[in-house]
Amino acid sequence: MLIGRSNLLQSVTMRPTGPHGATFTPASLSGLIAWYDASDAATVFKDLGVTQAVNTDLVEQWNDKSGNAYHIGQATSGNRPTLNTTGFSARRAIMFDQTNSQFMDTV
């Protein structure tokens, strides 16, 4: 999930190679504000940034990979999303439900 100046959420599913062989990453986007990557286990925590979440853990903090430190979290245990390591096309995903885990805020 990427957040840019337009405040729209986007998902990057492919990493094409540039003309000089450089691999695209969201960090190379101009104006990138935040980058949340569920596939990066080192950025998803079941507490405040200490213990990495594993399958079915509730996610308290999700760290920003943009370098801007816009980490997000959910302090209320009953409102946290769940990490599913095979959640979306057999890839790691943060699963939000419709009733209680809809929001995360900056920490």
Side-chain angles (χ1 to χ4, degrees):
M1 178 171 32
L2 305 174
I3 300 175
R5 292 195 192 280
S6 66
N7 292 325
L8 296 176
L9 301 179
Q10 300 174 349
S11 176
V12 174
T13 56
M14 41 188 299
R15 295 181 183 229
T17 302
H20 301 288
T23 301
F24 168 81
T25 67
S28 65
L29 294 173
S30 174
L32 179 67
I33 294 173
W35 171 18
Y36 304 102
D37 183 357
S39 69
D40 185 350
T43 67
V44 181
F45 299 91
K46 67 179 185 178
D47 52 23
L48 285 176
V50 176
T51 309
Q52 289 181 1
V54 295
N55 194 37
T56 71
D57 278 345
L58 297 177
V59 176
E60 182 170 352
Q61 182 169 317
W62 194 358
N63 285 357
D64 171 22
K65 291 178 61 171
S66 72
N68 295 323
Y70 288 117
H71 310 316
I72 56 175
Q74 176 51 261
T76 305
S77 180
N79 292 344
R80 293 179 187 150
T82 305
L83 173 65
N84 186 327
T85 57
T86 59
F88 184 72
S89 298
R91 296 180 185 199
R92 290 172 53 98
I94 307 297
M95 309 297 282
F96 295 84
D97 66 34
Q98 294 179 345
T99 56
N100 63 356
S101 63
Q102 300 172 26
F103 306 103
M104 295 186 87
D105 200 359
T106 55
V107 293

